[in-house]
Amino acid sequence: MNLKKTLIGAGLALFSVASIAATSYKIGTEGGYPPWSMVDAAGNVTGFDADVGAALCKKLDADCQFVVQAFDSLIPSLSANRFDLIISGMSYTPERAKRINFSLPYAVEDAIFILKADTPAIKADSAESIYTDLAGKTIGVQGGTTHGAFLAKVAPKVNIKDYETLDQMQIDLDSGRLDGTFADLTSQSRFLKQMNTTDYALTETVIKGSSDPETLGYGIAVGIHKDNADLKARVDAALCELIEDGTIKSASEKWFDI
Ligand code: ARG
């Protein structure tokens, strides 16, 4: 009887040690940003960032769960410890780095405009002439992104309209309420394909991600709470391994067709 009790006690103790040891992280993402992070019909987060997150968690020996939230609420929520990491195509910018830590970059991204196909800026051969042509026009961006900050700096005569989601922005473009949109090259190309129209086009000039690192950032990185230097070190080490072993490359080939 006593032996049985002891064994049951030991079993419970073992079980609880095991469950404390298993780490679990919550990852904040926006979920409306194809092909980086999307929510499928079953409610699962998919896309490049979902694959990067899953591979990262495997390396960290952790169970991970995505939390879907508006892009401009991700940093405040991370700071309030509502999740542990942000993986949402988020660029490392000096401004954001005052509030959160960033990992090493795991991707780089350029930006581009979608405009009406007959706008002269479509064929402009420099970024500066695009900005001149767009003076007085209204361009949609996703609120809280690097794109709004960049455009306000380099093209102050452009009217910038913030959207919480790319979906809303694209509806307004489709129905003629915007002269164009400015966002990451990968999401803009994908959207234009979906629109299946010749009324709109991508500008021939791509805005290089390195054009103005102060606003456009230094590459796409994982966000980590300011106070968690240990987690940052482990995320950086895991990302290095995922870059070296080709995991990040094959995820990008899977999701980005340009
Ligand atoms: N790279 C840009 C930024 O950091 C856009 C990211 C948008 N991401 C998203 N999940 N909606 O501001």
Side-chain angles (χ1 to χ4, degrees):
M1 176 87 148
N2 274 348
L3 179 67
K4 203 171 167 192
K5 254 192 180 166
T6 315
L7 283 177
I8 290 171
L12 283 178
L14 270 181
F15 175 76
S16 56
V17 167
S19 57
I20 288 168
T23 318
S24 105
Y25 294 125
K26 288 200 178 109
I27 304 176
T29 196
E30 194 248 343
Y33 189 57
W36 295 75
S37 89
M38 300 89 90
V39 179
D40 70 13
N44 298 313
V45 176
T46 64
F48 178 64
D49 280 336
D51 286 2
V52 170
L56 180 66
C57 287
K58 208 166 157 206
K59 283 269 179 227
L60 296 174
D61 197 19
D63 293 325
C64 289
Q65 202 192 322
F66 277 98
V67 179
V68 173
Q69 274 189 204
F71 185 76
D72 64 2
S73 72
L74 293 174
I75 291 182
S77 289
L78 179 75
S79 301
N81 288 311
R82 275 201 276 278
F83 33 76
D84 307 285
L85 299 168
I86 296 172
I87 306 185
S88 199
M90 187 177 274
S91 308
Y92 173 113
T93 69
E95 199 48 45
R96 289 173 180 162
K98 290 181 190 154
R99 292 183 284 158
I100 59 171
N101 278 331
F102 281 100
S103 69
L104 301 169
Y106 64 90
V108 285
E109 179 65 294
D110 295 329
I112 201 160
F113 291 88
I114 292 179
L115 302 172
K116 296 205 175 90
D118 57 5
T119 311
I122 289 288
K123 294 201 178 307
D125 57 6
S126 75
E128 286 63 36
S129 48
I130 299 182
Y131 309 146
T132 313
D133 281 350
L134 292 184
K137 302 237 164 114
T138 305
I139 300 295
V141 299
Q142 187 172 36
T145 59
T146 49
H147 303 112
F150 173 78
L151 211 51
K153 182 172 171 184
V154 299
K157 294 202 171 116
V158 171
N159 303 317
I160 299 169
K161 192 161 178 213
D162 278 347
Y163 287 86
E164 183 175 319
T165 68
L166 290 185
D167 277 355
Q168 292 160 355
M169 177 169 98
Q170 288 157 354
I171 289 169
D172 271 12
L173 179 71
D174 219 2
S175 55
R177 281 191 284 267
L178 283 174
D179 296 301
T181 61
F182 183 57
D184 282 328
L185 175 60
T186 48
S187 62
Q188 295 274 73
S189 320
R190 191 175 169 121
F191 171 61
L192 196 62
K193 266 186 211 153
Q194 274 169 11
M195 270 177 97
N196 197 19
T197 170
T198 50
D199 295 348
Y200 290 91
L202 296 171
T203 49
E204 283 175 14
T205 295
V206 171
I207 310 301
K208 298 304 286 174
S210 54
S211 305
D212 184 57
E214 199 65 27
T215 53
L216 268 189
Y218 291 87
I220 310 292
V222 177
I224 306 144
H225 196 286
K226 256 280 181 249
D227 298 340
N228 206 340
D230 173 59
L231 183 56
K232 170 175 161 47
R234 284 186 298 122
V235 167
D236 280 345
L239 282 176
C240 281
E241 287 179 32
L242 295 172
I243 291 166
E244 270 165 28
D245 71 11
T247 306
I248 303 274
K249 185 162 183 274
S250 43
S252 71
E253 283 164 1
K254 171 174 165 198
W255 292 104
F256 302 121
D257 54 358
I258 51 162

